[in-house]
Amino acid sequence: FVLALVDETQIDDDPQPDVFDLLVETLTRLDTIKNAPALLFAFQLRLIALSGYRLELEHCAAEGEPLSGAGFFSPAHKGFVCRPCSRGLSGRGVSPGAFNLLKRLAETPLERVERVRISQAQTTELARLFDLVLATFLEKKLTVTAIIRKLGAPRG
């Protein structure tokens, strides 16, 4: 999954030492970690940022106002928008618990991400969100996410 995501998100023949370092650290940690979903979601957040996109988790992508509570990812705005701005938009809503979890995963160093607890419901919710986020930023549906869906969401 991790290798396929890197393959599908990076341009051939464009050296990305930070992406390589993230890949090596993630693969090394996957070998021993007991909380794979937390690591895989943290990896995806970092890969998205290193690919030139950053998920703004503090401010509405439409108005710039602070986000509070639940989030709504809007492909049209390529980010999270507040509840009033989400009216009439296509996208994916994120529960308050999963949205706070995203913030926590974004702030937690990979070496401590195993401590972040994720329920099965949050794992499913975030997996669906990342499918949409990656498809939005890369402007294509990723083959690897469809395969992972068939096998089941990443589990720890």
Side-chain angles (χ1 to χ4, degrees):
F1 176 73
V2 171
L3 291 172
L5 272 180
V6 169
D7 183 55
E8 290 201 49
T9 59
Q10 302 305 299
I11 298 170
D12 291 339
D13 300 325
D14 183 18
Q16 294 290 329
D18 291 337
V19 172
F20 180 77
D21 292 344
L22 174 64
L23 174 65
V24 169
E25 183 175 2
T26 302
L27 290 174
T28 301
R29 293 192 183 288
L30 271 174
D31 194 35
T32 59
I33 197 166
K34 293 180 174 116
N35 188 357
L39 178 63
L40 293 175
F41 292 132
F43 165 79
Q44 289 175 83
L45 281 168
R46 286 156 177 78
L47 182 63
I48 290 166
L50 290 172
S51 297
Y53 308 100
R54 186 168 126 353
L55 277 179
E56 173 59 56
L57 301 173
E58 298 297 329
H59 296 92
C60 174
E63 293 182 340
E65 297 296 318
L67 289 172
S68 60
F72 184 88
F73 183 79
S74 164
H77 290 92
K78 294 194 176 188
F80 286 96
V81 295
C82 61
R83 185 167 283 127
C85 290
S86 69
R87 289 190 193 107
L89 293 176
S90 64
R92 179 165 294 282
V94 182
S95 69
F99 192 68
N100 286 330
L101 188 56
L102 270 179
K103 290 179 179 181
R104 191 163 170 213
L105 288 169
E107 297 167 355
T108 303
L110 281 185
E111 63 268 10
R112 291 196 314 245
V113 80
E114 183 174 13
R115 298 177 191 158
V116 178
R117 295 291 162 224
I118 303 178
S119 70
Q120 185 59 46
Q122 289 171 325
T123 298
T124 301
E125 184 177 2
L126 290 180
R128 289 183 178 135
L129 171 68
F130 275 104
D131 286 353
L132 178 60
V133 168
L134 289 166
T136 298
F137 288 135
L138 300 172
E139 298 178 350
K140 66 178 181 175
K141 224 174 181 163
L142 298 180
T143 308
V144 68
T145 57
I147 293 168
I148 293 300
R149 272 256 191 259
K150 287 181 182 177
L151 296 174
R155 292 178 179 41

